[in-house]
Amino acid sequence: MAQKDTTTTKRPKQVQDAKRDILSRVKLLYTLFILLGIGIAARLLWVQIASPSVRHNARVLNDGILREVMLPAHRGTILTREGEPLALSSFRYHAAIDFASEALQDSDEETLHRNVDSLARMLAMHFNQSDAARHGYKYISADEYKREFLRLTAAGRDRSRQIFPRAVTTDEWNMIRRNFPILNDNMGIVCGTRRTDERIYPSGDLAKQLIGVLPDSTKADKIRFGTGVERAYDDDLAGQHGLSVEQRIAHGFWTRIEDSRNRMAEDGCNVVTTLDGGLQKMATERLREELEKEHASFGVAMVMEVATGNMLCLVNLSSGKERGTNYREDVFNHAFSTAMCPGSTFKLASAMALLEIGGCDVNTIVSIPKSSQKVGDKLVVDSHRIDNEDGKAMDSVTMRDGFAHSSNIYFAKAVYDRFKDEPERYTRFLEGLLFNDHVGLQNFGEVKANLPRPGTAEWKRNGSIGLTLPQLAYGYIIELPPIHTLTFFNGVANNGRMVAPRLIDRIERNGEVVERPPVITLREKMCSSKTLAGLRECLSAASADNRTAYKFRGLPVEFGCKTGTAQIWGSFISESEADKRSMSDGMNPSQDKYYLGSVVTMFPMDNPKYTVMVCVAKQQTGSHPNYYGINLSGPTARSIMDYIYANDPTLHAHVEVPEEPYAARSIKAGNGKAVWMCADRYAADIVEFESEDGIKAKSAEWCKSSIDAEGVATISAVTTADGKVPNVVGMGLSDALYLLESSGLSVTHSGSGRVVSQSIRPGTAISKQGRTIHLTLER
C-alpha cells in the first residue's frame, strides 16, 4: 500500500495563521494610532478651551504685550439758569514712581540720595500741614518721605507706588513736572500718572440738595445710588468712556495701535437748572442768619415762577450737632422729603373746599363768641380774638376775616358743620388737589402727601369724625412736604392751573440744546373762577393783617399771603444732639414744644408772577421763645421779595415814551449858559434878542427866556447894574439868592418853584429902599 504525503496539507494552514496574526497586529496598530490621535485632539481642545492655567498664562502673556486703557469721559456740568457752575468736573492726577526701574536701581548712591532728599523736601513743602487740614489727609514730613523712598528703592520690588497724599490739579501737576527732581525725568523716566475726573463745587454747598451726590458702584459691597440731579440725570451727565488699545514697546513705554476696539470718549451733557444763582445765594445767607438767631433745627426757602413752575430758589439748611451753628445744605432735603402737618397754610385748601363745594362765600359768617370753643369732639383754640375797626372783639366773623386772622375756630366750625355727615366729600375734593399724592418729584426724593380718608384704619386711629374733621380743617392730621404746599398756592396764583415744580430748564451739549423738559400741568382747573376770586380776596386780607403787614411794610408791590404755625408731632432728620434727644423716645408736642412756622406769599397780587415759601422748624425754649410763622419765616420771605422786586424790571412802573418829542413850555431864567443849554435841548428852535443896552444874549452872564406855542424859545440878556436891584423874576431860588445877595441885599422868600414877584422893583437904587427884599415863588 502506498504511503500518504502530509506536507501539502500542513502548509495552507500555516499560511492562514500567519495572515491572521499580521492582520491582528495591523488592526491593533491602527487602533493605537486612532486612540492616540483622539487623545491628542482632546488635549488640544482642552488646552484651547477648558484649561484655566493655559488661559491664565495666555492672558498674562497677552497683557504683557497689549493692554486696554479706558479713556475717561468728562462728566457734564450742573449750572444755574445764568450759566454759573454749581457742580463741575476737573481732571486730577495721581503720580506713581516705579522704584524697580533701571534709572533708580543703576544710579550711584550720592546722586540718588541728593535727588530723593530734594524731592522729599519739596513734597513736604507743597503738601504742607495747612493743605492736609484743608483736604483731610495725614501730613507727611520730609524725613518720612525720604526714608520711605530709600526703603522702596533698596527693596526694588514695589512698582508704580503712588507718592502724593492727594490727587493734584492740572496746574499743580504741570508745576511739579517742571520743578520737582526725579519727577521731572532728570534721572530718567521713572514716573507715571493716572488721570481721574473729580467733582468739585465752586459755590460750596450752595443748592447741594438739588445737585445731590454722584452714584458710585466701584465697590460691589458698598453701592451708593446717588441723589438729586446727579442721580436723576446720570445718563446725560456721565457721557461714555472711550477705549484705547496699547502695545508695550519697552519697559514703562506703551503706544497706541490701530484696533477695532478703539473708541473716543464722549463727554457728558451739561444740565442747566432753573435756579437763579443770585437769589439762591441771598436766600441761603438770609435764612442762615434767621436760623442762627432762633437756634432752629432746619429751614427751607423756595421761590416758584407762577406760570412755568420753575424753581428759582431751593434752600435746605440744617443745624450741625450744636443747634444754632454750622447750618449746611448737605444734611437732608427737607423741602421734598420731610412731611409734617402744615398748620394754618392749609386753610387755603379748606377755604377752597368751602367756596367750591360747601356753599359758602367770603362773607359767610361763623359765630365765635370766645377764643376757645368745642367743635364736634375737639376743643379748638384761637391765639387771639378778632377785633372790629373800633377795637372791639367780634362774636361773628366772615370767612375773609377768619382767614386774615387765621382763626382755627372759624374753619373747624365751617368745615365740620358742612361735611360732618359726608366727610368723604371733603376728603375727595382734597384728593383731587393731589393732597394724597406726589407732585412729580419722586426722582428727587419727594415723599407722598398723607391725607387720612374716612373709614380707613389711619382715620380711626386719630379718633372720631368729631375729632378728626375739625383738626383737618386747620392743617392737622394731614402731612405734607413743603414743596406740596408751595405747589398748591402756586396753582391758586396761576388762575387755578396747578403745574408741577420744574427743576431743569434744559440739557445742552456743546452749547446746543439737546432736550428741554416741558411744563407739566397737574390740574388744568383746580376750581371755578368765582372760587379763585374769593381766595384772592382772602389772601389780600391776610397780607393786610397788622402782624403780617408789620413784617412787610414798605414793600412796593401788592401781595397776598398766608402764615402757618403747627406743632410738630413726628420726627425729622437732624444732626443736632438736642433734637436727637427729643426724638429718641418719640416726640411729645406738649413737652418738647417743637413748631413749624411758615409763610407763603404770591405777588404782584393783580397778576401773580412769583410764589414764595419759607418754613422754619424749631423748639420753643426760654432763651428763644419765638415760634409763630410770621416771626420765624417772615423776615426771610421779605428779603426774598425785596430782592426779586429789585432785580425784575417788569415789576416796576414804566415811563411811556410820547409819540412826539418833548418840548419845554417854559425855561427858568438864571445863569446864561444853563438857560442856553436847556433851550438847545428842549426847545424846538431859539431866537436871540439883544437887550436895550445892546448886550447879546449869547454872551450874557444872566438870561431869561420865553417859549411860544410852537416851542420856539426867545432868549434875552438880564441886565445888572451896580447899586441897583436886579430883575430876578422867572429865576429859581438859588440863582435869585446869589444875584441879590451879591448886590448887597438881604433876602426873604416864601413858596417854591420860580420867582413870580419881588418886593423891590427892578432898577431901584438899593441905598434908597433899604437892604431887605422879599421874593414870592410859585410852581
Side-chain angles (χ1 to χ4, degrees):
M1 186 174 177
Q3 190 176 0
K4 194 172 183 178
D5 189 2
T6 60
T7 305
T8 58
T9 60
K10 289 182 179 178
R11 180 177 296 175
K13 185 178 180 181
Q14 291 175 347
V15 171
Q16 290 174 0
D17 292 342
K19 286 182 178 180
R20 281 196 298 270
D21 185 54
I22 292 170
L23 288 173
S24 298
R25 292 181 181 183
V26 170
K27 288 178 181 178
L28 178 62
L29 187 61
Y30 271 105
T31 301
L32 291 174
F33 276 124
I34 291 171
L35 291 175
L36 181 62
I38 292 172
I40 293 172
R43 180 61 179 172
L44 287 173
L45 290 174
W46 168 259
V47 167
Q48 292 293 324
I49 299 174
S51 174
S53 61
V54 171
R55 286 203 310 271
H56 171 73
N57 292 332
R59 186 166 57 250
V60 170
L61 181 62
N62 183 69
D63 290 344
I65 300 173
L66 299 175
R67 68 179 183 182
E68 292 182 352
V69 178
M70 184 189 73
L71 304 176
H74 203 57
R75 190 172 180 85
T77 302
I78 300 174
L79 306 159
T80 66
R81 64 176 185 170
E82 306 94 345
E84 180 182 353
L86 295 170
L88 55 86
S89 290
S90 177
F91 284 126
R92 294 290 188 267
Y93 294 85
H94 300 265
I97 291 180
D98 182 2
F99 290 96
S101 64
E102 294 178 359
L104 292 179
Q105 293 296 320
D106 296 343
S107 65
D108 62 88
E109 186 174 350
E110 181 183 355
T111 302
L112 177 64
H113 277 256
R114 184 176 66 253
N115 282 281
V116 167
D117 182 72
S118 297
L119 176 60
R121 291 177 182 277
M122 298 184 78
L123 287 173
M125 185 180 300
H126 186 78
F127 301 103
N128 52 39
Q129 291 179 332
S130 61
D131 186 79
R134 184 165 60 252
H135 292 93
Y137 62 84
K138 182 181 177 182
Y139 170 70
I140 304 173
S141 67
D143 289 339
E144 290 174 310
Y145 275 119
K146 183 176 180 180
R147 284 196 300 270
E148 182 67 7
F149 290 169
L150 292 176
R151 183 188 71 79
L152 293 171
T153 304
R157 292 189 300 273
D158 292 290
R159 295 178 179 272
S160 300
R161 186 72 172 263
Q162 289 192 15
I163 61 171
F164 295 162
R166 62 169 175 83
V168 298
T169 65
T170 303
D171 290 340
E172 284 181 298
W173 177 235
N174 290 335
M175 182 275 294
I176 288 171
R177 287 305 301 265
R178 288 194 307 268
N179 302 320
F180 284 37
I182 299 180
L183 303 182
N184 63 3
D185 299 336
N186 68 325
M187 295 184 65
I189 299 176
V190 299
C191 177
T193 59
R194 180 171 61 88
R195 190 177 70 174
T196 59
D197 206 22
E198 184 174 313
R199 209 62 166 163
I200 60 175
Y201 305 94
S203 300
D205 70 344
L206 190 75
K208 196 67 171 64
Q209 286 301 326
L210 176 60
I211 298 167
V213 296
L214 284 168
D216 185 8
S217 57
T218 56
K219 297 182 179 179
D221 58 335
K222 293 182 179 179
I223 298 177
R224 186 176 68 185
F225 292 100
T227 60
V229 176
E230 296 282 22
R231 176 187 177 185
Y233 289 84
D234 183 51
D235 291 342
D236 297 294
L237 289 165
Q240 185 175 0
H241 297 312
L243 184 70
S244 174
V245 179
E246 297 181 351
Q247 179 177 333
R248 186 174 185 264
I249 58 176
H251 177 66
F253 291 88
W254 297 79
T255 185
R256 183 176 180 179
I257 62 172
E258 291 292 332
D259 194 280
S260 59
R261 291 169 290 177
N262 288 340
R263 65 174 183 271
M264 296 298 294
E266 183 178 347
D267 291 342
C269 298
N270 293 337
V271 175
V272 182
T273 68
T274 59
L275 294 185
D276 182 300
L279 177 59
Q280 181 77 16
K281 291 175 185 175
M282 186 283 302
T284 300
E285 293 308 312
R286 188 67 184 89
L287 181 60
R288 181 178 281 116
E289 291 174 6
E290 286 300 313
L291 296 177
E292 291 174 351
K293 173 185 172 184
E294 297 293 344
H295 278 222
S297 298
F298 70 82
V300 171
M302 299 178 288
V303 178
M304 184 183 283
E305 200 171 49
V306 169
T308 62
N310 287 347
M311 296 298 297
L312 305 183
C313 171
L314 178 60
V315 181
N316 286 275
L317 291 177
S318 299
S319 173
K321 289 187 177 182
E322 183 179 351
R323 200 162 54 196
T325 60
N326 193 28
Y327 286 92
R328 310 195 321 273
E329 262 272 356
D330 58 359
V331 176
F332 195 68
N333 192 335
H334 295 287
F336 296 172
S337 305
T338 298
M340 292 183 174
C341 297
S344 293
T345 55
F346 192 73
K347 289 171 184 172
L348 186 67
S350 293
M352 182 183 286
L354 291 169
L355 293 170
E356 188 74 5
I357 64 173
C360 297
D361 59 34
V362 293
N363 295 311
T364 297
I365 292 175
V366 168
S367 175
I368 306 179
K370 51 186 178 179
S371 59
S372 62
Q373 189 172 346
K374 194 170 184 179
V375 181
D377 300 323
K378 175 67 177 175
L379 180 64
V380 183
V381 179
D382 280 343
S383 62
H384 64 283
R385 294 293 305 275
I386 302 175
D387 297 335
N388 59 20
E389 295 179 355
D390 298 328
K392 295 181 180 180
M394 295 190 295
D395 293 334
S396 298
V397 177
T398 64
M399 181 187 293
R400 184 192 304 103
D401 290 333
F403 190 90
H405 292 270
S406 200
S407 171
N408 293 335
I409 296 175
Y410 183 96
F411 285 95
K413 290 188 71 174
V415 169
Y416 183 71
D417 290 345
R418 284 158 181 79
F419 300 108
K420 61 184 177 182
D421 296 328
E422 44 181 352
E424 299 88 354
R425 187 161 168 256
Y426 176 61
T427 56
R428 277 199 305 269
F429 179 80
L430 296 178
E431 286 182 43
L433 300 173
L434 302 180
F435 280 117
N436 204 22
D437 206 341
H438 297 91
V439 293
L441 298 177
Q442 297 92 313
N443 287 342
F444 293 88
E446 180 207 355
V447 297
K448 186 179 178 182
N450 182 24
L451 171 66
R453 286 164 291 181
T456 63
E458 187 177 9
W459 178 279
K460 292 175 181 178
R461 278 198 302 271
N462 290 307
S464 65
I465 289 177
L467 277 172
T468 304
L469 198 57
Q471 292 183 83
L472 181 56
Y474 56 85
Y476 282 83
I477 307 300
I478 188 172
E479 292 180 336
L480 303 173
I483 189 64
H484 204 127
T485 301
L486 178 67
T487 303
F488 171 70
F489 270 78
N490 195 77
V492 173
N494 197 24
N495 292 318
R497 178 172 173 252
M498 184 190 293
V499 295
R502 188 167 177 266
L503 301 173
I504 305 303
D505 183 65
R506 61 191 182 276
I507 300 170
E508 295 181 340
R509 183 186 295 280
N510 300 324
E512 295 185 1
V513 177
V514 175
E515 181 184 350
R516 191 182 295 274
V519 176
I520 297 175
T521 300
L522 301 174
R523 290 291 181 269
E524 190 63 45
K525 195 69 173 177
M526 299 163 65
C527 59
S528 66
S529 298
K530 181 180 179 181
T531 295
L532 285 171
L535 294 178
R536 290 196 174 187
E537 191 172 340
C538 289
L539 289 163
S540 295
S543 68
D545 176 65
N546 289 335
R547 292 171 302 168
T548 304
Y550 175 76
K551 293 291 183 182
F552 292 92
R553 64 182 177 183
L555 189 70
V557 62
E558 296 293 328
F559 69 99
C561 82
K562 186 70 192 79
T563 63
T565 306
Q567 280 193 295
I568 296 176
W569 292 73
S571 60
F572 54 87
I573 301 297
S574 176
E575 291 191 345
S576 165
E577 296 296 339
D579 293 340
K580 289 178 181 178
R581 285 194 300 270
S582 297
M583 293 184 287
S584 60
D585 299 323
M587 187 79 77
N588 185 329
S590 60
Q591 178 180 328
D592 295 315
K593 296 183 179 179
Y594 276 82
Y595 294 88
L596 183 70
S598 309
V599 171
V600 189
T601 68
M602 57 183 70
F603 68 100
M605 201 56 198
D606 58 342
N607 185 23
K609 189 175 181 180
Y610 304 99
T611 309
V612 179
M613 181 176 186
V614 179
C615 60
V616 173
K618 67 159 291 187
Q619 184 179 28
Q620 185 193 21
T621 62
S623 58
H624 299 88
N626 282 335
Y627 67 93
Y628 283 112
I630 189 62
N631 294 328
L632 296 181
S633 301
T636 303
R638 169 61 191 267
S639 296
I640 290 173
M641 294 169 74
D642 281 336
Y643 180 92
I644 294 173
Y645 179 80
N647 288 274
D648 186 353
T650 65
L651 300 179
H652 303 174
H654 292 281
V655 177
E656 295 184 3
V657 179
E659 296 180 0
E660 297 181 359
Y662 171 80
R665 290 177 295 177
S666 64
I667 299 175
K668 287 182 181 179
N671 179 271
K673 292 181 179 179
V675 172
W676 276 96
M677 182 179 68
C678 291
D680 185 57
R681 183 166 184 176
Y682 296 112
D685 198 2
I686 301 175
V687 176
E688 181 182 9
F689 270 68
E690 293 185 2
S691 63
E692 296 178 355
D693 50 4
I695 300 175
K696 291 186 177 181
K698 192 71 174 178
S699 58
E701 183 180 3
W702 302 95
C703 292
K704 60 183 179 180
S705 69
S706 60
I707 299 179
D708 61 20
E710 302 297 327
V712 177
T714 302
I715 301 177
S716 58
V718 174
T719 58
T720 57
D722 293 338
K724 293 186 177 181
V725 177
N727 184 2
V728 296
V729 173
M731 293 186 181
L733 182 60
S734 59
D735 283 339
L737 284 174
Y738 174 81
L739 198 55
L740 293 172
E741 289 179 349
S742 297
S743 301
L745 294 168
S746 297
V747 183
T748 61
H749 59 88
S750 59
S752 60
R754 69 182 69 200
V755 178
V756 294
S757 66
Q758 56 187 77
S759 61
I760 304 177
R761 200 171 44 160
T764 303
I766 294 174
S767 58
K768 294 181 179 179
Q769 294 294 329
R771 304 186 63 83
T772 300
I773 184 172
H774 182 79
L775 304 180
T776 302
L777 294 90
E778 290 182 4
R779 291 191 178 277

